[in-house]
Amino acid sequence: MKTKLLLVVLFSLLCLTSVYAEETPKVENPAEAKKAEAAKPADPTPAPAEAAPAEPVDPNRAAMEVAWSFVKKSVRVVKGLKTYTSVFYKQEYVDGEMRPEEKMALKYRTKPRAVYMKWVGKERKNQEVIWGPEINDGEIRAHKGSFPDLTVSLDPKGGMAMKGNRHPIMESGFAHSVKLIARDIQRAMKKNPLDGKFTDLGVQTVHGAKSHCFESELNKAGDPKYYGYKAHICVNLKTNLPNKIQIWDKEDGKVRLVESYSYENTKLNVPLTDEDFNHKNKNYNF
């Protein structure tokens, strides 16, 4: 009996020794552990590269990008225009003086192209003109609205039609202005460094309409292909078309404001017919 009990105790001790040996971590020789670590293959994954420092923001180019974003919208809108009406304000430097501001009710059709204007302000009040390349053999039909009030046909680029004007009637409307603005910004932005100074003027109110405005001062002295030395442009946030355009150019020996145009109450793609461009329209006074 004693012998059997002794065997049971010995067997139990052997089992405990075996379990302890399995659970006790093996203590490695430091030198051998170092050799094993050195023998491991290198990690093929490259260490992440340090991020390059961000380039400083050029405020001039940033302002140009803002201006260009609005002008691009204007270009797209012009391409889709069929008709529009607006109250158009014009003031120009002609024959050595800044002429008084003129105010006109404007109707414009893009295809077939036709323009009707009636002066509704103090200057040239009641004058009316109609022009279209397919109307009246391409000549302007006009009457001045005051005695002697005769209806005449004029060469659009002739002396009488151009008197007191910097542009012929075929350059009226949004398309020509937007084209010039876009051309000058694109010309400046292609040059490195940027050829000019741009200033973002933010949101302003023009004729009661919220508009985003900016200015550009271009190097026309170095590149005469620019339209002007300086431009102040506002884009109506509702129509995405310019509602204020001012141009400074060199006239009579100095850079001065030479053109100031603005648009009020512009309505796009309104119903206009041939009757709106007919001098016999009963609402006109030709």
Side-chain angles (χ1 to χ4, degrees), residues 150-170:
L150 303 175
T151 298
V152 296
S153 294
L154 304 173
D155 176 356
K157 294 184 178 180
M160 289 189 68
M162 289 300 297
K163 186 177 181 180
N165 297 297
R166 292 177 65 88
H167 296 276
I169 195 168
M170 60 273 295

Side-chain angles (χ1 to χ4, degrees), residues 74 76-84 108-111 174-175 241 266-269:
S74 297
R76 288 196 293 269
V77 172
V78 164
K79 287 181 179 179
L81 274 181
K82 296 179 180 178
T83 62
Y84 56 88
Y108 200 104
R109 184 179 66 190
T110 59
K111 291 181 181 179
F174 290 114
L241 289 169
T266 299
K267 297 179 181 178
L268 307 183
N269 296 323

Side-chain angles (χ1 to χ4, degrees), residues 10-104:
L10 287 173
F11 180 75
S12 299
L13 288 172
L14 285 171
C15 290
L16 287 172
T17 302
S18 175
V19 170
Y20 179 78
E22 289 176 1
E23 293 183 353
T24 304
K26 183 180 179 181
V27 179
E28 296 184 359
N29 183 302
E32 291 180 358
K34 189 173 182 180
K35 287 180 181 179
E37 185 66 26
K40 286 183 179 180
D43 186 353
T45 306
E50 293 185 7
E55 293 186 5
V57 177
D58 178 358
N60 190 31
R61 186 165 287 276
M64 181 275 297
E65 292 288 356
V66 171
W68 180 232
S69 70
F70 283 99
V71 174
K72 283 194 295 185
K73 292 178 183 178
S74 297
V75 171
R76 288 196 293 269
V77 172
V78 164
K79 287 181 179 179
L81 274 181
K82 296 179 180 178
T83 62
Y84 56 88
T85 61
S86 187
V87 177
F88 177 54
Y89 297 82
K90 180 185 82 167
Q91 189 173 19
E92 298 178 330
Y93 186 84
V94 180
D95 296 331
E97 64 175 357
M98 196 68 174
R99 299 181 67 85
E101 183 180 70
E102 301 172 26
K103 180 180 179 181
M104 290 149 275

Side-chain angles (χ1 to χ4, degrees), residues 1-253:
M1 182 69 178
K2 288 183 179 179
T3 302
K4 184 183 285 189
L5 182 61
L6 181 61
L7 288 172
V8 170
V9 171
L10 287 173
F11 180 75
S12 299
L13 288 172
L14 285 171
C15 290
L16 287 172
T17 302
S18 175
V19 170
Y20 179 78
E22 289 176 1
E23 293 183 353
T24 304
K26 183 180 179 181
V27 179
E28 296 184 359
N29 183 302
E32 291 180 358
K34 189 173 182 180
K35 287 180 181 179
E37 185 66 26
K40 286 183 179 180
D43 186 353
T45 306
E50 293 185 7
E55 293 186 5
V57 177
D58 178 358
N60 190 31
R61 186 165 287 276
M64 181 275 297
E65 292 288 356
V66 171
W68 180 232
S69 70
F70 283 99
V71 174
K72 283 194 295 185
K73 292 178 183 178
S74 297
V75 171
R76 288 196 293 269
V77 172
V78 164
K79 287 181 179 179
L81 274 181
K82 296 179 180 178
T83 62
Y84 56 88
T85 61
S86 187
V87 177
F88 177 54
Y89 297 82
K90 180 185 82 167
Q91 189 173 19
E92 298 178 330
Y93 186 84
V94 180
D95 296 331
E97 64 175 357
M98 196 68 174
R99 299 181 67 85
E101 183 180 70
E102 301 172 26
K103 180 180 179 181
M104 290 149 275
L106 170 67
K107 296 180 181 181
Y108 200 104
R109 184 179 66 190
T110 59
K111 291 181 181 179
R113 193 174 176 198
V115 182
Y116 166 82
M117 293 182 187
K118 180 178 181 179
W119 277 247
V120 294
K122 181 180 177 182
E123 295 297 316
R124 304 188 187 188
K125 189 171 183 178
N126 294 324
Q127 177 174 293
E128 291 178 292
V129 299
I130 291 175
W131 174 81
E134 299 177 16
I135 300 172
N136 195 31
D137 296 324
E139 293 194 328
I140 298 172
R141 183 172 271 116
H143 74 95
K144 67 177 186 176
S146 60
F147 182 82
D149 196 8
L150 303 175
T151 298
V152 296
S153 294
L154 304 173
D155 176 356
K157 294 184 178 180
M160 289 189 68
M162 289 300 297
K163 186 177 181 180
N165 297 297
R166 292 177 65 88
H167 296 276
I169 195 168
M170 60 273 295
E171 293 180 2
S172 62
F174 290 114
H176 181 74
S177 299
V178 170
K179 179 181 177 181
L180 291 177
I181 295 167
R183 186 199 68 181
D184 276 6
I185 293 180
Q186 286 180 306
R187 190 170 190 83
M189 67 194 296
K190 286 179 181 177
K191 299 185 180 182
N192 192 14
L194 194 63
D195 195 19
K197 178 184 176 183
F198 288 80
T199 305
D200 181 14
L201 302 175
V203 176
Q204 299 182 9
T205 300
V206 179
H207 294 306
K210 288 187 177 180
S211 312
H212 199 106
C213 303
F214 61 90
E215 284 186 353
S216 62
E217 297 178 49
L218 302 174
N219 181 27
K220 188 172 181 179
D223 186 350
K225 291 184 179 180
Y226 286 121
Y227 184 68
Y229 281 83
K230 178 182 174 181
H232 178 101
I233 310 294
C234 295
V235 177
N236 186 319
L237 294 178
K238 183 178 180 180
T239 65
N240 286 320
L241 289 169
N243 59 355
K244 186 176 182 180
I245 304 169
Q246 292 182 310
I247 303 295
W248 282 256
D249 205 3
K250 195 168 186 178
E251 295 270 351
D252 298 331

